[in-house]
């Protein structure tokens, strides 16, 4: 019998949320986004989803199979949605969790990837995985390198493909796979999110409904010194980034990673300067 996923609310203490996350590898946060934010965000991305191309060529054919042919997909969201850049990416609760889990292992953390996945009827159970496998060269054991989330942008139910999580799997040995009965569907209302660690096994559930889509945003943060899945400098180039709040610019990687104060070095400079200062002064 699978453990359940702990459920907390957006106004619970961040330490309670972090400790549930540490204990189970995943936590559902109810009300992470207000219904107003969800509604404005959905309005901004509707047109992009309508024109999302099926079957476009991706970095590797396996990636297309991973998402599945019934999935509409939007990337580079910070350049497409002001609501995302200001009110989702910079969500104080998620950043509070990142402060506690990621900041001990870096000088600053950053957005890894943020994309909208709108999974249609007939979508199969997604391949079960740990998100951190993208950094498979990283020796184990290692500290947590990723705080991930799937935010429900409409109702997530067991039959329309709610994300399924194996609670406790963040502590399993790498070779242990999850059995189907160890998975729990993260059933959520719009604006709720399942927050999980990069080491937690999960996957999109099967959408067995005849006619309901399941729209969600997968967003994750990682250490400031790891290569990110999405190349934000190109998908949100300087001309767009300069119009965003500074905190969003920082999370998109426009700040140098300066670890000199802790005996390290710096990463990501331009002309040996901090690019966020150059962005502000108009030099880039
Ligand atoms: Fe995933």
């Amino acid at each position: 019998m699978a453990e359940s996923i702990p459920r907390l609310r957006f106004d619970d203490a961040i330490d309670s949320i972090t400790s549930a996350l540490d204990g189970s590898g995943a936590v559902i946060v109810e009300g992470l986004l207000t219904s107003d934010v969800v509604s404005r965000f959905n309005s901004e991305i509707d047109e992009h989803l309508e024109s999302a191309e099926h079957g476009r060529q991706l970095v590797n054919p396996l990636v297309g199979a991973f998402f599945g042919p019934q999935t509409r997909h939007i990337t580079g969201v910070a350049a497409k949605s002001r609501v995302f850049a200001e009110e989702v990416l910079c969500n104080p609760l998620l950043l509070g969790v990142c402060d506690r889990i990621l900041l001990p292992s870096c000088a600053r953390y950053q957005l890894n990837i943020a994309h909208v996945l709108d999974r249609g009827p007939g979508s199969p159970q997604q391949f079960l995985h740990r998100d951190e496998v993208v950094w498979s060269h990283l020796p184990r054991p290692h500290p947590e390198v990723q705080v991930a989330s799937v935010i429900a942008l409409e109702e997530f139910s067991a039959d329309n493909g709610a994300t399924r999580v194996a609670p406790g799997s963040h502590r399993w040995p790498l070779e242990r796979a999850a059995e189907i009965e160890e998975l729990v569907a993260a059933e959520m209302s719009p604006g709720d999110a399942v927050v999980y660690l990069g080491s937690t096994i999960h996957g999109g559930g099967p959408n067995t409904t005849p006619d309901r889509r399941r729209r969600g945003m997968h967003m994750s943060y990682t250490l400031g010194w790891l290569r990110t899945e999405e190349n934000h400098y190109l998908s949100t180039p300087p001309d767009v980034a300069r119009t965003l709040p500074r905190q969003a610019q920082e999370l998109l990687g426009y700040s140098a990673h300066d670890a000199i104060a802790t005996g390290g070095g710096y990463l990501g400079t331009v002309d040996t300067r901090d690019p966020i200062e150059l962005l502000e002064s108009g030099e880039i």
Side-chain angles (χ1 to χ4, degrees), residues 66 115 117 126-132 146 148 150 163 196 200 202-204 218:
F66 180 72
H115 47 168
L117 298 160
Q126 190 183 37
F127 173 71
L128 296 174
H129 61 281
R130 296 174 167 91
D131 282 355
E132 68 175 25
Q146 187 177 29
V150 176
T163 307
Y196 58 96
T200 303
H202 67 282
H218 171 244

Side-chain angles (χ1 to χ4, degrees), residues 24-279:
S24 296
V27 58
I28 291 173
V29 179
E30 295 178 346
L32 181 83
L33 303 182
T34 64
S35 54
D36 173 59
V37 170
V38 171
S39 151
R40 287 186 287 114
F41 184 36
N42 276 331
S43 303
E44 277 187 329
I45 59 177
D46 276 342
E47 60 173 309
H48 296 287
L49 277 175
E50 285 305 320
S51 55
E53 224 185 300
H54 282 284
R56 65 197 168 90
Q57 190 176 356
L58 303 179
V59 61
N60 182 303
L62 288 176
V63 179
F66 180 72
F67 291 134
Q70 295 90 351
T71 299
R72 300 189 299 184
H73 187 210
I74 308 177
T75 61
V77 187
K80 295 179 171 131
S81 163
R82 194 84 200 174
V83 174
F84 170 75
E86 293 179 354
E87 300 177 73
V88 183
L89 172 62
C90 302
N91 181 275
L93 185 147
L94 292 177
L95 299 186
V97 172
C98 289
D99 284 347
R100 286 157 179 78
I101 293 179
L102 300 179
L103 210 45
S105 303
C106 59
R108 68 168 61 250
Y109 48 82
Q110 60 185 334
L111 179 68
N112 172 48
I113 186 168
H115 47 168
V116 176
L117 298 160
D118 183 67
R119 302 180 81 236
S123 293
Q125 170 68 55
Q126 190 183 37
F127 173 71
L128 296 174
H129 61 281
R130 296 174 167 91
D131 282 355
E132 68 175 25
V133 79
V134 295
W135 299 289
S136 59
H137 297 86
L138 199 62
R140 291 171 70 97
H142 56 71
E144 289 297 339
V145 298
Q146 187 177 29
V147 170
S149 61
V150 176
I151 304 173
L153 297 175
E154 59 191 359
E155 199 73 30
F156 268 40
S157 59
D159 64 348
N160 80 348
T163 307
R164 295 186 178 189
V165 177
S169 55
H170 61 312
R171 301 212 194 282
W172 295 358
L174 192 58
E175 57 280 6
R176 180 174 164 190
E179 303 298 332
I180 207 81
E181 60 273 12
E182 292 176 297
L183 300 175
V184 180
E187 296 199 287
M188 303 188 282
S189 299
D192 296 349
V194 56
V195 181
Y196 58 96
L197 299 172
S199 51
T200 303
I201 297 175
H202 67 282
N207 184 339
T208 57
T209 67
D211 53 6
R212 286 164 51 211
R213 303 195 67 85
R214 190 229 70 179
R215 185 188 295 194
M217 156 153 269
H218 171 244
M219 173 167 70
S220 74
Y221 304 86
T222 189
L223 309 180
W225 48 264
L226 272 179
R227 181 80 194 256
T228 56
E229 278 182 73
E230 201 169 22
N231 186 326
H232 308 301
Y233 318 117
L234 297 178
S235 57
T236 309
D239 280 349
V240 179
R242 81 176 80 256
T243 69
L244 300 179
R246 183 171 174 120
Q247 192 174 33
Q249 296 170 349
E250 291 170 356
L251 290 165
L252 289 166
Y254 276 90
S255 272
H257 183 273
D258 182 354
I260 289 178
T262 52
Y266 52 77
L267 299 168
T269 60
V270 173
D271 196 20
T272 332
R273 292 174 64 192
D274 190 336
I276 205 160
E277 305 298 343
L278 299 174
L279 195 62

